[in-house]
């Protein structure tokens, strides 16, 4: 069982870190879920579509078996973006789902744009269900479980980006925690503690999947 996130976690002003209370399951679904996405900018649909993708896989009653979720989105400058959903099971190790895009596609936005051309009246739910995103589900390794515990112990302090640093090709990292609290984080600062944690998580998850592939 994973302990609740520590209340002493401070706000990280890297790009965005918001702490707001989570009321029941209200944050599970994006506001645009059932509305028609017609005539919408595909770029503006990215977040609600990804949220619906996660929410669908987490189930209709996600907190029945889980105490929280760590959702991760990674947007490289020149490579396809990818995603993870870490389900913090109340019993047993965490379950992780990785999401990857089809070969030759760089973003969810590109998939949404293509799907809207085929189905202009599609809702957010329909868009999320039709996207050809590849999923791979696996149980957390011992190393990943250790990193999850470190996540709840992170001490985050405000950090200014130095004036002499300009990055045009950096990777952007997003993290969302849904549990007793609802936390959002977004940054392209490699020195940010949360970004470093995400980097360690990605390495551990990659090792786990490579090990499973070699065992087949």
């Amino acid at each position: 069982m994973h302990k609740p996130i520590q209340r002493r976690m401070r706000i990280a002003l890297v790009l965005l870190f918001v702490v707001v209370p989570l009321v029941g399951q209200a944050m599970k679904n994006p506001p645009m879920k059932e509305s028609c996405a017609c005539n919408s900018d595909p770029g503006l649909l990215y977040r609600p579509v990804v949220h619906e993708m996660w929410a669908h896989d987490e189930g209709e009653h996600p907190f029945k078996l889980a105490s929280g979720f760590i959702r991760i989105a990674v947007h490289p400058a020149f490579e396809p973006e990818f995603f993870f959903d870490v389900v913090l099971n109340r019993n047993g190790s965490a379950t992780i789902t990785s999401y990857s895009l089809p070969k030759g596609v760089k973003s969810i936005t590109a998939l949404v744009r293509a799907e809207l051309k085929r189905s202009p009246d599609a809702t957010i739910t329909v868009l999320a269900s039709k996207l050809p995103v590849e999923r791979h589900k696996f149980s957390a390794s011992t190393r990943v479980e250790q990193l999850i515990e470190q996540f709840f112990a992170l001490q985050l302090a405000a950090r200014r980006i130095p004036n002499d640093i300009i990055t045009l090709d950096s990777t952007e990292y997003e993290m969302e925690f849904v549990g007793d609290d609802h936390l959002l984080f977004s940054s392209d600062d490699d020195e940010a503690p949360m970004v470093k944690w995400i980097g360690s998580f990605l390495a551990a998850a990659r090792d786990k999947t490579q090990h499973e592939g070699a065992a087949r």
Side-chain angles (χ1 to χ4, degrees), residues 89-183:
N89 296 314
R90 295 184 183 276
N91 297 303
S93 60
T95 302
I96 302 168
T97 302
S98 65
Y99 302 81
S100 56
L101 305 184
K103 186 176 181 180
V105 178
K106 285 193 61 177
S107 68
I108 286 286
T109 300
L111 292 177
V112 170
R113 182 178 293 109
E115 187 57 39
L116 283 175
K117 289 181 179 179
R118 290 188 291 267
S119 305
D121 298 329
T123 63
I124 297 300
T125 303
V126 171
L127 285 173
S129 66
K130 287 189 174 182
L131 296 184
V133 177
E134 182 178 349
R135 293 164 167 81
H136 175 58
K137 184 176 290 187
F138 55 96
S139 297
S141 63
T142 300
R143 175 55 181 156
V144 171
E145 287 289 341
Q146 292 171 346
L147 287 168
I148 291 173
E149 293 302 316
Q150 291 176 21
F151 172 84
F152 289 106
L154 281 174
Q155 294 293 303
L156 300 174
R159 169 181 161 80
R160 289 186 177 184
I161 298 177
N163 293 333
D164 58 345
I165 293 181
I166 299 177
T167 56
L168 300 177
D169 59 352
S170 56
T171 296
E172 182 181 357
Y173 300 86
E174 297 179 13
M175 186 284 302
E176 178 178 21
F177 173 79
V178 182
D180 284 344
D181 294 309
H182 185 209
L183 299 94

Side-chain angles (χ1 to χ4, degrees), residues 35-94:
S35 61
C36 172
C38 43
N39 299 321
S40 297
D41 183 344
L44 297 178
L45 297 175
Y46 155 76
R47 194 171 300 279
V49 167
V50 171
H51 271 250
E52 176 58 27
M53 177 182 72
W54 279 323
H56 175 271
D57 289 355
E58 290 164 3
E60 185 176 357
H61 304 288
F63 292 100
K64 183 177 181 180
L65 300 176
S67 61
F69 305 86
I70 302 173
R71 301 161 169 177
I72 298 171
V74 182
H75 309 281
F78 304 112
E79 299 293 333
E81 58 191 12
F82 55 94
F83 309 84
F84 284 89
D85 190 10
V86 183
V87 180
L88 305 178
N89 296 314
R90 295 184 183 276
N91 297 303
S93 60

